[in-house]
Amino acid sequence: MIAAQRLGDWTSRAPEMEEDVALTNIALDQLGAARLLLTYAGELEGAGRDEDALAYLRDDREFRNCLLVELPNGDFAVTVAKLFFLSAYQLPLYAALAGCGDERLAAIGAKARKESAYHLDHASLWVRRLGDGTAESHRRMQAAVDQVWPYVHELFAPFPGAPVDPTTLRAAFDAAVDPVLAEATLARPADGWAPAGGRDGLHTEHLSYLLTEMQVLHRAHPGAQW
Amino acid sequence: MYGNDFPAPDDAPGGGLLGEVAAAEAALREAAARRRGRAPDPDTDLEAYFADVIDADQKIEPRDWMPEAYRKTLIRQIAQHAHSEIIGMQPEGNWISRAPSLKRKAILLAKVQDEAGHGLYLYAAAETLGISRDELVRLLLDGRQKYSSIFNYPTLTWADVGVIGWLVDGAAIVNQVPLCRCSYGPYARAMIRVCKEESFHQRQGYEILHVLAHGTPDQKAMAQDAVDRWWYPSLAMFGPPDGDSTHSAQSMAWKIKRFSNDELRQRFVDMCVQQAEILGLTLPDPALRWNDERQAYDYTQPDYDELMRVIKGQGPCNRQRMEHRRHAHADGAWVREAATAYAANQAEKKEKVAA
């Protein structure tokens, strides 16, 4: 959902009209998956919270999103880098979920997997275009990859009780990412700093601002229907 | 995920007009079937041939000869229409991040995405007349071509998103449904597709207002305030009154336009009065009343001086909208250059492999 919120900000701002359509489309997919997952989470919790209660009435300390998706959009290269790494993680994740024992999660995984494959294709194409485009675009794309890379590690940290063990997704991620970086004439950044905490509700300073904007209208009219 | 699950009253917007779109689509198919198979002889009088095609309600297609003024009028009108779709993403896009429920956010994202699609579709229709999209975008950014005056008004509350759907898209549809029968084939076909989606958007906007008008007192007040602010700008969307409309007579003769500005405006008012009643909202016109003799509603005309000021660049958001568009275009330049360079690199590599 946080990824959808960030991508939605690109609407009417993209470098090409076709890209406006594509980014809005991806935002819509991400939001669709989030709605299914939040609705199911609310049902499992059994406390009467629906997708909107979970989206609009939790504070940032209660959000469990990874730090990667809450990072600001930056320039187009930063957005492409975020989408590239996110979809390279989500594709094997949703594929694994599609085969898991929980029927609801399996159905959500099966639907989202197809969308993630499209997102990964789209992001990969832009990584190659920008990396192997002009000197300026290469510089920006490398800078974006370097900036975003540290936030990738959190995606694969062990998570006890998760329906899919995140550590098992790393190989598929590397297999998707490495060849594209190489084709794009981009250097894979060295591993080192690995910020984390999103899964525990310990976020960057960016999330609170994002939620303030996202929740303002809903919170101003408690209990109202929309 | 964003289907329309609203139990709309039978006379909710969309119904009658969609029927007209379907009829226009059928007429288009019949015209195609009737079309004389042969091209005009080389010694045919082209102007007479063109007039015959128009008279017979056949469509002019991109390869057909057409008067230069017909071509120019169409380029101007279709481009303005395309620009309006692109600029029109801004006032609604303004509320994507703050949409009050996830369902509404999804519907709004899908709608704005449709608008970008309509823009692309209309630019493609304009390109069949021998002008490139790049040129048209340049004309927009330089302020030499216009977009609809309505998008120079700000969206101040969530209810504005509903009103844009109901009134602005509603006015657009009333304007565009007759264009489904326009004499230029590519434009008529574009309009059929656009009208179908727009009438879906109009229903969704109406649904937003219906929920607000039947919600808390604050929500109802928000809906009424939005209607009060957008009613006259929506009426002004039909353009100046017939007496002052410069392009009308020729466009009607060429069957680009089918009805005058005032005829369409009247049709829109008559449609909205009933819908406003169902919503439980009032239209901000004390003089609005049924005229039995005319079988239509009397209403107060919009302030056409204000319309002229907005068209000339003095509306509340003209500068902001253009600035936003120019920024997006300028900020994206390095990306477009990269895509061009990459495509050239790839083509070169392919050539080397082939050799």
Side-chain angles (χ1 to χ4, degrees):
Chain A
M1 189 177 65
I2 304 299
Q5 185 75 3
R6 285 292 188 218
L7 283 169
D9 276 346
W10 273 101
T11 302
S12 85
R13 288 190 174 82
E16 287 180 344
M17 289 173 209
E18 285 82 357
E19 198 51 27
D20 241 319
V21 176
L23 290 178
T24 309
N25 196 32
I26 295 170
L28 201 49
D29 288 345
Q30 295 285 1
L31 180 58
R35 292 181 65 192
L36 293 171
L37 290 166
L38 287 173
T39 299
Y40 187 38
E43 286 172 31
L44 287 178
E45 185 191 44
R49 292 202 287 182
D50 63 7
E51 58 175 19
D52 286 334
L54 289 171
Y56 290 98
L57 300 175
R58 280 184 300 157
D59 293 326
D60 57 316
R61 292 285 281 110
E62 298 166 277
F63 269 76
R64 294 288 177 268
N65 60 277
C66 57
L67 302 181
L68 172 73
V69 294
E70 73 196 44
L71 298 178
N73 280 336
D75 67 4
F76 186 68
V78 172
T79 290
V80 163
K82 281 169 51 179
L83 181 63
F84 178 50
F85 295 140
L86 178 68
S87 52
Y89 153 76
Q90 282 183 328
L91 180 57
L93 169 67
Y94 286 132
L97 271 186
C100 84
D102 183 318
E103 262 179 45
R104 283 283 288 280
L105 281 180
I108 296 170
K111 179 179 185 293
R113 173 175 56 177
K114 288 179 207 149
E115 293 164 352
S116 293
Y118 158 70
H119 305 165
L120 181 58
D121 270 354
H122 190 73
S124 302
L125 180 59
W126 273 115
V127 170
R128 290 198 297 265
R129 276 179 180 158
L130 297 181
D132 194 15
T134 63
E136 169 72 356
S137 70
H138 177 85
R139 181 186 68 75
R140 289 193 191 225
M141 194 65 233
Q142 184 67 59
V145 166
D146 292 345
Q147 182 193 325
V148 170
W149 186 256
Y151 296 90
V152 159
H153 306 296
E154 184 191 23
L155 301 173
F156 307 102
F159 196 108
V164 173
D165 176 2
T167 58
T168 61
L169 304 172
R170 185 63 200 238
F173 175 88
D174 288 337
V177 163
D178 290 350
V180 174
L181 289 179
E183 270 180 69
T185 70
L186 295 167
R188 180 183 157 123
D191 294 340
W193 182 48
R199 306 299 189 195
D200 301 317
L202 292 168
H203 291 276
T204 65
E205 291 178 349
H206 306 297
L207 184 64
S208 177
Y209 287 98
L210 181 150
L211 293 180
T212 300
E213 185 175 337
M214 188 177 98
Q215 297 175 339
V216 58
L217 180 56
H218 187 96
R219 285 191 189 259
H221 297 263
Q225 299 296 307
W226 300 97
Chain B
M1 288 300 286
Y2 49 88
N4 192 339
D5 55 8
F6 173 68
D10 291 340
D11 38 6
L17 289 168
L18 268 182
E20 285 183 41
V21 175
E25 199 172 9
L28 194 74
R29 253 183 265 120
E30 277 166 35
R34 268 202 321 267
R35 184 161 169 91
R36 291 151 292 185
R38 55 184 177 77
D41 299 326
D43 52 353
T44 307
D45 175 348
L46 288 170
E47 269 183 62
Y49 181 79
F50 174 83
D52 279 352
V53 173
I54 300 277
D55 277 348
D57 269 332
Q58 295 293 117
K59 299 299 169 197
I60 302 292
E61 295 297 339
R63 282 183 199 172
D64 293 338
W65 181 88
M66 61 189 87
E68 205 39 42
Y70 177 85
R71 183 189 303 275
K72 281 199 174 132
T73 296
L74 276 169
I75 288 177
R76 183 178 51 76
Q77 187 173 337
I78 301 175
Q80 175 169 332
H81 198 155
H83 300 330
S84 299
E85 298 281 357
I86 296 303
I87 299 288
M89 294 167 72
Q90 291 181 41
E92 289 176 291
N94 182 37
W95 281 90
I96 288 174
S97 67
R98 294 171 293 168
S101 75
L102 297 185
K103 178 183 150 187
R104 293 286 168 217
K105 192 191 290 285
I107 291 173
L108 187 55
L109 273 169
K111 178 182 180 183
V112 178
Q113 185 192 6
D114 277 350
E115 276 158 15
H118 293 170
L120 289 171
Y121 203 54
L122 285 160
Y123 282 123
E127 285 188 317
T128 65
L129 291 158
I131 187 160
S132 74
R133 184 170 107 190
D134 286 350
E135 283 173 82
L136 294 172
V137 168
R138 180 46 52 204
L139 289 168
L140 169 68
L141 295 180
D142 291 348
R144 289 161 60 205
Q145 279 186 341
K146 308 283 184 205
Y147 55 88
S148 175
S149 59
I150 195 79
F151 299 120
N152 293 312
Y153 291 87
T155 47
L156 302 178
T157 71
W158 170 250
D160 291 35
V161 173
V163 169
I164 287 184
W166 177 44
L167 292 180
V168 174
D169 292 343
I173 297 166
V174 168
N175 229 333
Q176 290 167 14
V177 162
L179 292 172
C180 296
R181 293 177 182 271
C182 144
S183 59
Y184 188 57
Y187 194 27
R189 289 189 288 273
M191 281 301 98
I192 286 170
R193 183 162 138 180
V194 168
C195 281
K196 286 181 184 173
E197 288 181 358
E198 291 290 2
S199 76
F200 188 56
H201 297 162
Q202 193 207 6
R203 264 186 73 143
Q204 289 168 334
Y206 185 80
E207 181 191 329
I208 288 176
L209 285 182
H210 196 274
V211 172
L212 293 177
H214 295 82
T216 67
D218 278 354
Q219 286 178 306
K220 180 160 185 177
M222 190 195 283
Q224 185 62 56
D225 168 61
V227 172
D228 292 349
R229 281 182 288 113
W230 287 87
W231 173 246
Y232 281 113
S234 301
L235 287 192
M237 281 174 71
F238 294 93
D242 291 351
D244 306 341
S245 180
T246 43
H247 304 290
S248 278
Q250 184 59 72
S251 286
M252 303 247 291
W254 277 329
K255 293 187 182 171
I256 296 174
K257 278 183 80 159
R258 298 277 175 154
F259 302 97
S260 77
N261 293 352
D262 286 335
E263 283 172 312
L264 293 170
R265 190 165 12 241
Q266 181 73 56
R267 187 181 292 187
F268 177 68
V269 170
D270 292 347
M271 208 179 81
C272 288
V273 172
Q274 237 195 352
Q275 292 168 0
E277 275 169 20
I278 299 169
L279 288 172
L281 297 171
T282 53
L283 297 173
D285 181 359
L288 188 71
R289 62 179 54 87
W290 179 252
N291 181 327
D292 217 29
E293 213 167 289
R294 291 201 306 122
Q295 286 293 300
Y297 283 92
D298 290 335
Y299 63 96
T300 308
Q301 292 289 319
D303 176 352
Y304 292 111
D305 291 337
E306 175 180 319
L307 174 65
M308 291 324 290
R309 282 197 300 276
V310 176
I311 288 176
K312 287 187 175 138
Q314 306 288 322
C317 297
N318 297 62
R319 290 170 191 215
Q320 180 188 333
R321 301 287 184 244
M322 288 303 287
E323 187 68 14
H324 180 108
R325 196 65 238 140
R326 288 195 189 106
H327 251 290
H329 192 76
D331 289 353
W334 70 273
V335 177
R336 295 190 298 274
E337 282 160 19
T340 308
Y342 177 79
N345 284 347
Q346 292 302 105
E348 205 174 293
K349 275 183 202 161
K350 248 188 209 163
E351 239 167 61
K352 270 185 196 157
V353 173

